[in-house]
Amino acid sequence: MDLGCGVAERPSVLGVGIRKRSRNRLGFRIGIWGVSSLLGRRRTRGKEQERIDLSWYLLDFENASIKEDYCAQITREKPQLLQMVEANKSPPCKRSRREKSREKARTSSSTQIMDENIWKEFPEDLFEAVIARLPVATFFRFRSVCQKWNSLLNSTSFSQHCAEVPCQYPWIYTITHESTNGGAIYDPSVKKWHNISIPVLPAKVIIFPVTSAGGLVCFLDIGHRNFYICNPLTRSFKELPPRSVRVWSRVAVGMVLNGTASTSGYKILWLGCNGDHEIYDSLQNSWSRPGVIPSSIKHPLSLNFRSQTVSIGSTLYFMRAEPDGILSYDVKTGAWKQFIIPSPLHLTDHTLAEFGGQVMLVGLLSKNAATCVCIWELQKMTLLWKEVDRMPNIWCLEFYGKHVKMTCLGNQGLLMLSLRSRRMNRLVTYNMLNKEWQKVPDCTLPHSRKRQWIACGTAFRPCPTALA
């Protein structure tokens, strides 16, 4: 069959389409693209040549005829494609993401060259102010650049810059069942876990984080005898001197700063159920007993040790179980106060929290087979708990019919809750500012997929310059 092309040099058929035209008729669309025929087809009649535009043709096998179908004119609609085929070039292939990123890096490195004559005059104080505003993880990577950047941790001016930069979210220091002398730190800004260890601890000593202030975390050993102070970021570590009062029973611990940063010193208070208490002053490096608890406060104190201590300014708040309420102590004035506050109905596990200078309460509400996590705020005028938020119902359905236990790992504006049952262990965070609930990724061992189980923890404000 003659298609009338008249070109025998380099014919190439690039596409064939099939479609039904009718019940007894089958039509084929055949696109015949040749290097020479792309510009048209030629029919030679003597010396006269006629140029005909390339079109799509419909072949009718029954009548053995050729009919033109002017649905599309390739030469008019896609001239760039024709030029490409004319030059005998293949169409561009799709580049991978890695190739694109490499090309972008080469381009940026060649165009963004730092001029040494300009940057060598950069002011030193401004340089420290910029570095202090970097993310904490980024700053520790920059320390390896040179000795000058590494020495910033011991710079007084750099410490002042760090104190002026507010930390948006606290980090969570946790102890896992797999490592009692090490820990895992959760960075909520990037939703990432960091595994660390404290190598200076004596052998066979098990410690737990109990409170924090100014970037420092306070630890207490499992025997409730010795206290330790550590900066988890720099591993600055210190063992506190022995206590003068030998109380080996369980105690509640609180920590406050003397000023706005740890450089001004800090104080640690421990409190027992029988009223025994002591205060450690970092500037004096010693324990002291400031006085006795007033007789108007009911003894024994019946402290709720499942609840962490909350600090607002120079005041520490402890949760009591009988009667339900809060016990406070002002470190500066030495004043004790007791607040009788009834707990919400059907409340099981609960703990104190703090946000924006307000005392908060987070706990489990369990009624029949339903369980839900709720957030309350303490009303100062009425001394009653007011519910301000609760976990989404679709999340609470997972706890239906299960005996759930809750542990609060962080209570400073960002809550981290460990929700456990017989075959479930969930970690969730609650942002008190945005009232946002988020699930926490699993904490795994380094270079392993094994999941770690969180035992306990506390929140702390990351500060690279804080010294124990």
Side-chain angles (χ1 to χ4, degrees), residues 5 40 77 134 158-159 174 193 217 257 273 316 330 334 390 415:
C5 291
E77 293 182 2
L134 289 176
F158 182 70
S159 300
T174 64
W193 289 94
V217 178
L257 296 176
C273 286
L316 297 172
D330 194 322
R390 62 173 51 195
L415 304 178

Side-chain angles (χ1 to χ4, degrees), residues 93-142:
C93 60
K94 186 177 180 180
R95 293 180 300 172
S96 63
R97 184 178 299 178
R98 179 178 298 180
E99 293 177 351
K100 292 180 180 180
S101 61
R102 288 178 179 175
E103 183 177 352
K104 185 177 180 180
R106 288 195 300 267
T107 305
S108 60
S109 61
S110 60
T111 57
Q112 299 178 0
I113 300 177
M114 298 177 63
D115 192 347
E116 183 179 357
N117 296 327
I118 297 177
W119 289 99
K120 71 178 182 180
E121 303 296 336
F122 195 78
E124 191 70 22
D125 55 345
L126 185 58
F127 170 78
E128 292 185 354
V130 172
I131 297 296
R133 285 160 174 79
L134 289 176
V136 178
T138 304
F139 168 73
F140 278 91
R141 289 197 300 266
F142 281 6

Side-chain angles (χ1 to χ4, degrees), residues 315-456:
T315 304
L316 297 172
Y317 295 88
F318 305 87
M319 174 156 277
R320 298 186 62 179
E322 295 178 4
D324 292 337
I326 294 176
L327 182 66
S328 69
Y329 177 74
D330 194 322
V331 178
K332 288 184 177 180
T333 62
W336 291 90
K337 291 183 181 180
Q338 178 182 244
F339 304 93
I340 307 300
I341 307 172
S343 299
L345 297 176
H346 311 292
L347 182 66
T348 55
D349 296 340
H350 55 285
T351 181
L352 291 179
E354 178 271 333
F355 172 66
Q358 297 291 329
V359 179
M360 311 292 289
L361 179 70
V362 54
L364 284 177
L365 282 184
S366 299
K367 186 177 181 181
N368 299 330
T371 302
C372 185
V373 181
C374 296
I375 312 294
W376 294 270
E377 180 181 348
L378 180 61
Q379 305 298 301
K380 295 182 178 180
M381 297 298 296
T382 61
L383 289 180
L384 294 175
W385 295 110
K386 177 185 177 181
E387 183 178 336
V388 293
D389 201 3
R390 62 173 51 195
M391 182 178 285
N393 293 331
I394 191 171
W395 288 18
C396 296
L397 290 176
E398 187 179 4
F399 311 142
Y400 188 83
K402 299 178 181 178
H403 183 65
V404 181
K405 289 290 185 179
M406 186 197 77
T407 302
C408 186
L409 307 176
N411 57 0
Q412 300 179 10
L414 181 74
L415 304 178
M416 175 178 279
L417 306 176
S418 174
L419 302 168
R420 306 178 310 279
S421 65
R422 185 177 180 181
R423 295 185 178 180
M424 181 195 72
N425 187 7
R426 297 287 182 269
L427 287 176
V428 298
T429 58
Y430 176 71
N431 190 326
M432 293 188 176
L433 177 62
N434 304 328
K435 294 186 176 182
E436 182 181 12
W437 298 86
Q438 288 187 350
K439 294 183 179 180
V440 178
D442 293 337
C443 179
T444 58
L445 292 171
H447 311 291
S448 174
R449 295 183 179 181
K450 183 180 180 181
R451 180 181 178 183
Q452 298 188 88
W453 292 78
I454 305 299
C456 61

